[in-house]
Amino acid sequence: MKGKVYLVGAGPGDYKLMTLKGLECIRKSDVIVYDRLANINYLKEAKEDCEFINVGKASSNHLLPQGDINRLIADKALEGKVVTRLKGGDPYVFGRGGEEAEILRNENIDFEVVPGITSAIGGLCYAGIPITHRDHASSFHVITGHPRNDGKETKEIDWKALAHVKGTLVFLMGIANLKHISENLIKEGKDKNTPVAFISWATRYNQRVVTATLESAYEVAIKENIKPPTLIVVGTVVNLREKLNFFEEKPLFGKNILVTRSRTQSSTLVEKISDLGGNPIEIPTIKIEKIENNVELEEEINNLKDYSYIIFSSKNAVDIFFDKLNEMGYDSRALYNIKICAVGAETARHIKTRGINPDIVPKKYIAEELYEELKDIIEENDKILIPRAKNARGFLVEKLSKKCFVKEVLTYESVIDYSKKDELLDIMENENVDYITFASSSTVKNFMTLIGEGNINKLKLIKIISIGDITSKTIKEFDLDVYKQSDEATIASMIDAISNDKFNLNTGVLTC
Ligand code: SAH
């Protein structure tokens, strides 16, 4: 049985700039072969047992020579596997995708090509440079700046023609040859004052754009230490950047933000940070371990008619409770006579997804506030059910028990997630982290355990954002300062705290 190969364009770097079809290929593949220009976050979308093979580093320094890559892809498909060959930008724009496809055809291997947004167009767009414009350029030309080095005759670039076309010139892989490029264009008659832009790591949070003229280009590139991957743009469209630069104006552009939450809960925060131009570095610190064969929970679900209140204080408690309810053949009607209380906006939202509008959601999302709301309305003969985490705070159970019957049922335990410990230590050592977000006391404690006592001092250089009073208190117990506490205990409010940070202007000011 022969497999199949998808040559997939991963787009220029921004995670959301890949096609739906490309994503679908990643999700169904047994093997993914990728190199450094493809955003590796896509690998998260792959099947659990998918094999990942990294075949490339710097553009001229492949970990694997092209011939071996071709062979590898073909062999995996011949083993009957579905293979995605993930390539930066578009697979057929200077990515040698054409050669890979030829080999597959020669060997009669089924393949498809999924186009991607090439950096030659998308990269310019994010730098605020429209590749064509009625007042500036009515064509564009994408050129390799990297001559062939395999001994075969180079298809020499027609510098004379390029110097005279009026369109925008975009050179890929051109940094090592910049001197040659600019000199040839000027020699053949291109105006030496033509604007030039260097766009490095285009569309990513670390995008950097430097402008020059054709004459000064080489000197500027040396002075500014410009390295691949960089696009070189030559043409007056570069001048539009000043007006159209939307991407670098985003409030969190260029910021590294460490997000510490349980894996299942961080997606909203991560998504918002990316939308605002920042780089979310997701470090899971908590893993939820559901209590299996929970006879006690089953018993209380069978006795629901006895209860007058149920209190949920986390999304996990909601999910586990309702999954069990459904599994036992009941649905939300089993709660028709019970008042439902939620601590936290996210908890409330999850209750709604189960078809129930919570009756009581305290304005401040903490247990103390719920107690304030409940203490005068509950009566002695009320019965309250609290399905919750094993290591959660005992405040509500303790206080409410003094007023009426309270039954707490443990449904899960949150434990430390060690899966990204090494990555975290590497980040603490090598990355310039601007902010770190803590959305609960347990994430603070687990995070400190993960980095180890010796590293806690390093957090003094990072702006710590806390979700609320209790989390802040725990942070301070580690002898650390809270840079900002969000006004409300919500993810949206945490985001506001970061994006409204007045020192967070993109003026090159170091933020730590
Ligand atoms: N197939 C790719 C190009 C591969 S050649 C595409 O369609 O975009 C590799 C060259 O592309 C790099 O040397 C660089 O010049 C350019 N490049 C690719 N992605 C880039 C990015 N995000 N930022 C800047 N240049 C990029």
Side-chain angles (χ1 to χ4, degrees):
M1 190 187 76
K2 276 186 189 175
K4 178 160 183 167
V5 177
Y6 295 94
L7 298 177
V8 175
D14 177 338
Y15 186 75
K16 291 194 178 168
L17 291 182
M18 197 198 332
T19 61
L20 291 175
K21 193 160 189 175
L23 198 57
E24 200 178 277
C25 295
I26 287 179
R27 288 184 175 145
K28 67 182 173 198
S29 285
D30 304 309
V31 183
I32 298 177
V33 180
Y34 65 99
D35 46 48
R36 78 158 184 158
L37 286 179
N39 186 333
I40 54 164
N41 285 335
Y42 295 124
L43 304 184
K44 278 198 298 209
E45 297 286 339
K47 291 195 294 193
E48 213 155 87
D49 56 351
C50 179
E51 182 185 2
F52 301 121
I53 307 174
N54 180 358
V55 293
K57 267 202 319 219
S59 61
S60 57
N61 176 23
H62 284 288
L63 277 181
L64 263 192
Q66 185 65 42
D68 294 357
I69 297 178
N70 299 348
R71 196 61 262 147
L72 174 77
I73 297 168
D75 285 347
K76 291 285 178 189
L78 288 169
E79 284 170 26
K81 306 227 163 102
V82 175
V83 183
T84 285
R85 166 68 171 119
L86 193 62
K87 299 169 83 71
D90 180 87
Y92 280 177
V93 177
F94 302 134
R96 300 186 73 174
E99 292 165 50
E100 291 172 9
E102 277 183 296
I103 299 279
L104 298 169
R105 181 45 47 97
N106 292 346
E107 304 208 6
N108 227 355
I109 295 168
D110 198 11
F111 76 94
E112 274 184 47
V113 185
V114 181
I117 298 177
T118 176
S119 62
I121 297 174
L124 271 63
C125 176
Y126 271 43
I129 303 171
I131 197 162
T132 68
H133 188 289
R134 284 211 321 178
D135 297 336
H136 296 269
S138 47
S139 68
F140 61 85
H141 311 267
V142 179
I143 308 126
T144 172
H146 181 71
R148 221 173 155 144
N149 59 4
D150 60 359
K152 291 197 185 164
E153 188 196 339
T154 303
K155 299 254 174 294
E156 187 45 76
I157 293 164
D158 186 343
W159 293 109
K160 195 173 187 143
L162 282 181
H164 288 94
V165 289
K166 297 271 183 288
T168 304
L169 306 181
V170 184
F171 291 88
L172 274 67
M173 298 179 283
I175 289 301
N177 254 337
L178 179 58
K179 197 163 195 294
H180 185 68
I181 293 170
S182 55
E183 280 177 2
N184 274 300
L185 288 174
I186 293 172
K187 191 172 97 200
E188 295 296 346
K190 186 113 188 136
D191 182 352
K192 62 182 191 323
N193 295 317
T194 312
V196 168
F198 300 106
I199 314 170
S200 308
W201 289 112
T203 78
R204 301 224 188 192
Y205 74 96
N206 55 340
Q207 168 174 302
R208 179 173 175 235
V209 181
V210 172
T211 51
T213 61
L214 201 50
E215 190 180 32
S216 68
Y218 179 65
E219 225 173 274
V220 170
I222 300 274
K223 195 169 133 246
E224 296 286 337
N225 194 22
I226 290 166
K227 297 253 159 58
T230 293
L231 301 151
I232 305 168
V233 188
V234 182
T236 54
V237 282
V238 166
N239 291 336
L240 290 163
R241 171 178 154 74
E242 268 181 43
K243 192 167 170 193
L244 304 181
N245 178 10
F246 70 96
F247 180 60
E248 291 162 36
E249 284 168 0
K250 288 193 172 210
L252 298 184
F253 174 73
K255 300 288 175 236
N256 285 317
I257 302 168
L258 212 79
V259 178
T260 62
R261 289 204 74 181
S262 81
R263 189 188 283 279
T264 45
Q265 292 179 335
S266 58
S267 54
T268 345
L269 187 54
V270 165
E271 180 115 332
K272 288 204 170 139
I273 290 172
S274 308
D275 283 349
L276 294 171
N279 177 38
I281 308 170
E282 218 177 334
I283 299 292
T285 55
I286 296 180
K287 221 170 39 179
I288 301 302
E289 280 180 0
K290 190 171 130 185
I291 296 172
E292 298 296 341
N293 303 320
N294 199 336
V295 184
E296 203 183 4
L297 178 61
E298 285 173 15
E299 219 164 86
E300 297 316 319
I301 287 179
N302 279 326
N303 293 336
L304 277 178
K305 58 177 182 332
D306 298 341
Y307 284 99
S308 37
Y309 289 90
I310 303 183
I311 299 176
F312 293 104
S313 45
S314 75
K315 158 191 176 301
N316 300 309
V318 174
D319 287 344
I320 293 171
F321 178 86
F322 281 94
D323 287 349
K324 186 54 113 188
L325 188 80
N326 297 149
E327 194 188 299
M328 290 170 67
Y330 298 109
D331 59 28
S332 51
R333 286 172 296 181
L335 308 174
Y336 78 101
N337 230 353
I338 304 176
K339 293 243 178 301
I340 306 293
C341 312
V343 181
E346 203 167 71
T347 313
R349 215 172 25 250
H350 274 265
I351 296 173
K352 279 190 186 157
T353 65
R354 303 291 182 152
I356 291 176
N357 283 335
D359 301 278
I360 303 176
V361 185
K363 282 207 184 64
K364 263 187 114 184
Y365 300 130
I366 51 170
E368 280 78 354
E369 197 75 10
L370 179 63
Y371 177 71
E372 284 304 308
E373 295 211 11
L374 284 179
K375 72 177 201 290
D376 298 328
I377 51 172
I378 46 173
E379 293 169 6
E380 214 177 319
N381 56 354
D382 272 324
K383 283 185 150 198
I384 305 180
L385 179 64
I386 311 186
R388 64 190 203 107
K390 198 169 169 184
N391 29 14
R393 286 172 64 224
F395 175 82
L396 272 177
V397 177
E398 217 172 273
K399 291 291 249 186
L400 292 171
S401 298
K402 291 184 185 144
K403 303 226 160 232
C404 68
F405 175 84
V406 176
K407 174 74 186 169
E408 108 187 275
V409 178
L410 306 184
T411 55
Y412 66 98
E413 185 175 7
S414 40
V415 296
I416 301 188
D417 186 340
Y418 285 98
S419 63
K420 284 218 178 165
K421 181 176 170 171
D422 291 343
E423 199 176 309
L424 174 61
L425 292 179
D426 188 51
I427 290 166
M428 296 296 295
E429 196 61 42
N430 302 312
E431 298 285 329
N432 179 13
V433 177
D434 299 284
Y435 296 93
I436 177 163
T437 65
F438 288 110
S440 75
S441 275
S442 39
T443 49
V444 177
K445 290 180 196 151
N446 290 3
F447 185 83
M448 302 306 169
T449 308
L450 279 178
I451 60 172
E453 221 170 293
N455 279 319
I456 293 180
N457 252 345
K458 289 188 186 155
L459 295 177
K460 296 211 153 120
L461 299 173
I462 302 175
K463 292 175 171 177
I464 298 179
I465 309 292
S466 153
I467 198 165
D469 294 340
I470 297 162
T471 307
S472 298
K473 187 165 162 271
T474 312
I475 294 168
K476 286 173 194 156
E477 280 164 15
F478 286 93
D479 200 22
L480 292 167
D481 292 331
V482 173
Y483 179 73
K484 264 193 176 185
Q485 182 178 313
S486 57
D487 294 339
E488 276 178 60
T490 61
I491 298 297
S493 181
M494 278 184 102
I495 291 284
D496 284 348
I498 303 175
S499 47
N500 296 335
D501 183 4
K502 64 179 185 310
F503 296 110
N504 177 22
L505 302 169
N506 292 311
T507 49
V509 177
L510 250 184
T511 49
C512 62

